[in-house]
Structures are given as C-alpha cells and as structure tokens.
Amino acid sequence: MKTLGKRIEEQPWIGWVIFLITIIVVFLAGLFTYTIVERRTEAQFVFQPATDLDPYEPRLEEWGKAFPRQFNTYNRMADTTYVSPTLGAPKADLLDENPNMVILFAGYAFSRDYNLARGHYYSVDDVRQTLRTGAPMEPEDGPMPATCWTCKSADVPRLIAEYGDDFYAHTLAEMGHEVVNPIGCVNCHEAETMQLRISQPALVEAFERRGKDITDATHQEMRSLTCAQCHVEYYFGQDNKLIFPWDKGLEVAEVEEYKDAIEFADWIHPLSRAPMIKAQHPDYEIFMKGIHAQRGVSCADCHMPFRTEGGVKYTDHRVQNPLNNISNACQTCHRQSEAELTRNVVSRQQDVYEVRERLERALVKAHLEAEFAWNEGASEEEMEPVLQKIRTGQWHWDYGAASHGGAFHAPQEMMKIYGNGLDYAQEARLELSRIAARFGHTDEIPIPDVSTKEKAQAYLGIDLEQLQREKDEFLQTVVPEWLRRADERHRAWDAGDEAPSQF
Amino acid sequence: MARARNVIRWLLPPDHWRLPVIILAGFLVGIAIYAFYVSNAGSYLSDSPQTCVNCHVMAPHYTTWFHSSHREHATCNDCHVPQDNFVNHYVNKAQDGLRHAWIFTMRDEPFVIRIHEPGMDVVQQNCLRCHEHTNHRVSAFEGTVAKARAGEQKLCWDCHREVPHGAVTSSASTPYTNVPLPESPVPEWLRSMMGESDASR
C-alpha cells in the first residue's frame, strides 16, 4: 500500500484537505478550551464576596456590604427589649435596684452611676453617657484615660496600630473624636480572610507572660478567645496601659495574689478606709471553670449560634442572652423543652444570687461598722487586718457580681467565691465587734439608714444633679463636635484621599 | 508491532512536508495539553472535594457539605461514588464525570440540580455502608431506590431531608459563600513577569 506521503506527492489536494481539516480541528479545540476558560472565569465573579476592605476599616456598614446576614443580625442588637427572669438588656439603674452597691463603691465612680450596659451596639454611646466618665469639656480634661475606650470600639485596633502603647497615655476626651464606631467586625475578624483574630494586645501579652502563644489556639478556642479580648478581669498599669492580671492564674484568689504582690488598690474606701480592688468583668475566667467550657463549648456556640437562611448557614451576630434563642442556642445539644431549660438556668442563678445578697449585706455592714470603729478612735494597727479582710471579701463579691452570666456559666465556682467572700466579710465584722467592745459598745453597732439609692448617696454627699447637669452640657456641646470630626474622616476615606490604615 | 509500524509509515509525510507537519502536530498536542491543564483534568483522579468545585455550579453543594457534620467524616466521593470495588468506583466516576462535563460545557445545568436515579442508588448504598452499625434496626436497611419506588421502603433522606446539603438548594441558595473555586490558571511567575502584583489581582 502506498504511504499517505506518496499519495500526497502524487495528488497534492489530499495534503491541502488534511491541512484544512487540521485548521478546523485546532479552531474547534481552541473554542472548546475557551469555554473551559470562560466558565472558570465565571467562578471568579460568582460566590466571591466583594471584600476590598481596609485591614483597619472600623465601620460596620462597610463590612456589611459583603456580609449582609452577619450585619443584619448584628443590628438586631439595637433591640434591647428582651428581659430574662434574672437579667435584662434595656438600660437599667442598677444602683436603684440594689442600693447596697452605693455603699460598696463609696468613693469610686460606680457609686454615682451604674447602669446596665446595653450591649455591643451601644458600646460607645454608653461610655459617653455614663456619669462615671464625667464631662471632659477640653481634650486634656479627665477623669478617664483613653484606656476606657479599648474595649468599646472598632476604631481601637486602628488607633493602637497607630499609637502603640501611647494610645493608653491619652485622655478619654483626646480620643473622643477618633472613637465613634461601636464594637464591630474588625475587633474579631481579619479583613482579608474573615478568620477570627485577636486585636487586643493585652490578651496576647497575658498569654505570653504565661508562656503561651495565642496563635496556637484552635478555631473553637478562638470562638471564646475573641470574647476574652474584653470579657475578662483587667487593670490599668503604668501610664494607664491595659493589663490582664493572669500571671499567677485566672482564679479569684490567684488574681488577688497578683494584685496584692504589686500592692494594687483602685481606691481607698472613704468609710472603712480599706484599700479596695474593683473587679471588672471576669466573664471568661469564670466561664472557663464551668461545665460548658470543660466540655469544649465556646462562647459563640450559645451567644452566637448558627442559623440558616436558604442554603446559607451562618453565625448569628446578634450577641445576646441565649435564653432569647433557646432553640438554636441550647436545643442543638439539649433535648429538653424550652420551659425546662429556662427553669434549669434560672434556678441556678437564683441560688447563687441568694448567697451573693448575704455577702453584699455583710460587706455593707462591715464598711459602716469600720467607719464607726474609726470614729470611736480605733488605731491603724488594730484596723489593718480588718481592712484586709474587707478588701478580700469585697474582691470576692465583685469577682462574682461583675461577671456577666457567671451564676449560670459556673454556679459551683460562684458559690465557692461568694462562700469564701462571706467568710472574710463576717470575720471582719467579728473583729470589728471586738474593737467596738473595747470602746464599750457591746450592742449591735449602730449604722445609718442607707436603704435606698437616694439615702445612700446623700450619706456619701454625692450631688447627682450637678453631675448630670455637667454631663448634659458635655453631651450637647462636645460630643456633636466629635461626631462632626469623625464624619469628616469617614468622608475622606470614602473619597480615597485617606485610608483607615494610613497614619 | 509491525502493523503499528506500517500505520506510522503510511502516515509519514513526504520529506518536504515534514517540518510544517511537525509544527502543526505540535499545535494539536499543545492545545490538548492546554485543555487538560486549564480544566484541572488531573484533579479528577483524586477524592478531594475541591475537585467538585472546579465547576462553580457545585459551590452551593460544596458549602452546605462544608458546614455539615459530614465534613469531618465523608468527602463528596465517599457518598456519590460507589465504594464497593475499584472497577465500579472508576467506571462510575468516569461516566458521571463525562456526563457532568458535557452538561457544564453545554451550559445545560438546571437552576436547581437534583440527583438522578442511578446517583440515588449510589448514595443510598453509601449511607448504609457507614451507618449500618447504627441503623440495623431501622427499616431503611437494605433499602434500594427500586424498592422505594415500589413503595416498599424509604430512602434515608426521605426522613433525613436536610442531610447534608440543607433543605434548600439551588444555584442562588448560598450567596457570598466562600468556597475554594479554582483561581486564575496564570502561574505566579508569568504574572510577576507581566508586572502584575498580588494586590491588583
């Protein structure tokens, strides 16, 4: 048989036909590969969130463009109407509800004003409005340092990146115009990957001092550690730097040991003259002692449970009381009815509150009896051990009382804390009655009537009206100026003249 | 061997055609390799779920699986490809794969993708394969699609309706989801040669 080559040599048209066929085949093969490329390219446009976000973008609405579900559920935190049988979210005057705290916090700003915080959505507003932050009419005015903003705003990661530790050395008012966005996306998420991240230097440093690397944390641990950026015990160190006192451990006694070692006192109580420590909100510390943490449940599992919309499963960013969302928060694991689960939670909380109230009453009496003893002429030497006990007793009370949800997170730990606290407080009172006896008082030590917020504040000489007048003026004159400057900054970012990460 | 040699000899072009033929043949082979590369064809031999989102229409199925408890234990192929023997496994994979490739290339995919009957049989057998220890008392044991059609049995997902892809699936049911879709096939070295930075991508 003649080879193809020979035949083409004889009849060249065959060669041309093959050439033409090859052209058509290559052409079609080209078209085919193009369809593959075309469909591949589609993939770069569908299912790709438009996240061209600045790494320090503080505005929730900018992130919300790419993550509408998370953003919408976050915004539902504006609704604070849900009140559980034991705790609410609407603004409430805790001093009015519990006048004991006026005496316990005498000499400290909490005796003026202690409102229930309304949640992340209102974090910046609540700081501006509370009487505890005073009325700084000028940037350099106190009483509070910028450190108070640290946990309150999505602007803070940007400011800490810009100023470093120097951020804390400013006053609250100097940073007032910079801090306008409430706690938001950037506090817990990387802008590029949406991975959970720690933006709080104090938490990273606390881990380092304990010889741990926070970047080793698993995703499930991060679902609690992002909360532990703020829901923890802390204090202001040198130049008001934010520090988590975890070096000796996270338990009530270990944190106290740490603070004793540096002779730390938040304030001297004006009635008993005891050097007091204010507990902040050791939520994470106490949660970690509870059964849910020990079984590997994270904060987000209950406070931000998954929900589904269409085929989308996502984290509910309405951080709230799980009792307002029992079906998603509890019943994923527990098969009991909503009524029973609520009963289980509330009964634990009420048992804990019962002991807490006993401790609280004992501490109020201890402060007032100590005042009596001083007035009778007790010596510093004999009062010193009493004051230590009052300090330790109230530290125990506060470590529990300031912990959001501790009574449910770890009821057994709370009972231990309050039980030990009660012992310290009553020991102090026992000593005080001995001292009083030496001055001839063997009956019950007389104490003034401080049974309401008004009476207690009047006893301490707090002029609430004056403070409120100053606050109102501050809110009407200074805050609008802060907002105007913030608006200007946001507009410059939108126009592309500046960017959040340009400083 | 001799036959093959004959065929090659028959195909060989005359001497003065040899160079253009070599070049043209190169074009053909090159474009075939390009099609292989750009369609990630090699990945189809693997069991990686990422292979299934080579076609972005599978993104809703990938992401619903990714957010389900099955993610930790079963890949796409564990359920959707027969696991009873090696031959069955690859024959089925090739058949399904070519069918899907055809549909995707022809842009024939429906808005709501539903499993077809042969696929249901495979999935049902794979449900039983892993879960028989826990469900041997359930009537679904030994269930087949044929029996279900005859009204004698139920299939697992007649009750477990949301496992694992959720109750609602369509190409619009999971917007904004983040799945590992294939990125641009342009390699990094070429990109940098073209002076394009990562940021401008």
Side-chain angles (χ1 to χ4, degrees), chain A residues 1-5 9 19 25 29-30 33 35-40 42-44 46-47 66 68-69 311-313, chain B residues 9-10 12 14 24 28 31 34-35 38 56 59 64 67 104-105 107 109 168 173-177 181 183-185:
Chain A
M1 199 172 124
K2 273 188 221 162
T3 66
L4 191 58
E9 261 175 46
F19 179 63
V25 169
T33 52
T35 67
I36 298 173
V37 172
E38 194 177 56
R39 299 229 73 173
R40 258 189 92 137
E42 278 172 18
Q44 288 169 38
V46 295
F47 298 119
R69 287 175 179 75
V312 187
K313 182 177 171 191
Chain B
R9 194 170 307 137
W10 181 80
L12 281 180
L24 275 178
L28 258 180
I31 210 161
Y34 174 67
V38 86
H56 63 77
T64 46
H67 287 97
F104 188 63
T105 309
R107 297 186 168 270
E109 74 277 358
V168 182
S173 66
T174 59
Y176 301 101
T177 188
L181 296 171
E183 290 184 358
S184 161

Side-chain angles (χ1 to χ4, degrees), chain B:
Chain B
M1 268 322 273
R3 244 184 102 94
R5 214 173 295 139
N6 281 342
V7 171
I8 291 169
R9 194 170 307 137
W10 181 80
L11 272 171
L12 281 180
D15 288 349
H16 57 281
W17 275 79
R18 209 154 267 186
L19 184 64
V21 164
I22 287 171
I23 291 170
L24 275 178
F27 266 113
L28 258 180
V29 174
I31 210 161
I33 292 172
Y34 174 67
F36 191 87
Y37 166 71
V38 86
S39 62
N40 276 341
S43 68
Y44 291 99
L45 292 172
S46 81
D47 283 325
S48 160
Q50 199 173 338
T51 306
C52 297
V53 281
N54 277 347
C55 308
H56 63 77
V57 297
M58 276 292 130
H61 305 85
Y62 181 95
T63 195
T64 46
W65 161 80
F66 188 81
H67 287 97
S68 78
S69 53
H70 275 80
R71 175 187 70 191
E72 299 299 318
H73 304 285
T75 65
C76 309
N77 285 355
D78 283 328
C79 302
H80 290 285
V81 176
Q83 303 288 343
D84 49 354
N85 72 60
F86 179 83
V87 177
N88 231 349
H89 181 87
Y90 277 98
V91 168
N92 188 287
K93 220 174 159 181
Q95 275 178 349
D96 260 6
L98 286 172
R99 179 169 175 271
H100 292 173
W102 176 261
I103 291 173
F104 188 63
T105 309
M106 291 296 118
R107 297 186 168 270
D108 215 11
E109 74 277 358
F111 188 68
V112 177
I113 297 173
R114 306 201 58 122
I115 193 165
H116 68 327
E117 215 154 280
M120 285 161 77
D121 247 333
V122 172
V123 174
Q124 176 66 25
Q125 290 314 312
N126 280 325
C127 294
L128 295 178
R129 182 172 64 90
C130 295
H131 292 287
E132 62 183 345
H133 296 302
T134 47
N135 70 0
H136 64 280
R137 298 175 76 96
V138 180
S139 64
F141 188 55
E142 300 283 318
T144 64
V145 175
K147 282 188 192 170
R149 286 279 174 268
E152 292 166 11
Q153 290 277 5
K154 293 272 182 215
L155 298 168
C156 295
W157 55 90
D158 285 335
C159 300
H160 302 275
R161 301 175 69 90
E162 301 191 4
V163 178
H165 295 297
V168 182
T169 47
S170 80
S171 57
S173 66
T174 59
Y176 301 101
T177 188
N178 214 344
V179 296
L181 296 171
E183 290 184 358
S184 161
V186 181
E188 202 49 55
W189 58 266
L190 184 57
R191 209 177 273 290
S192 59
M193 251 172 71
M194 296 189 310
E196 215 179 287
S197 70
D198 261 355
S200 67
R201 204 182 315 170

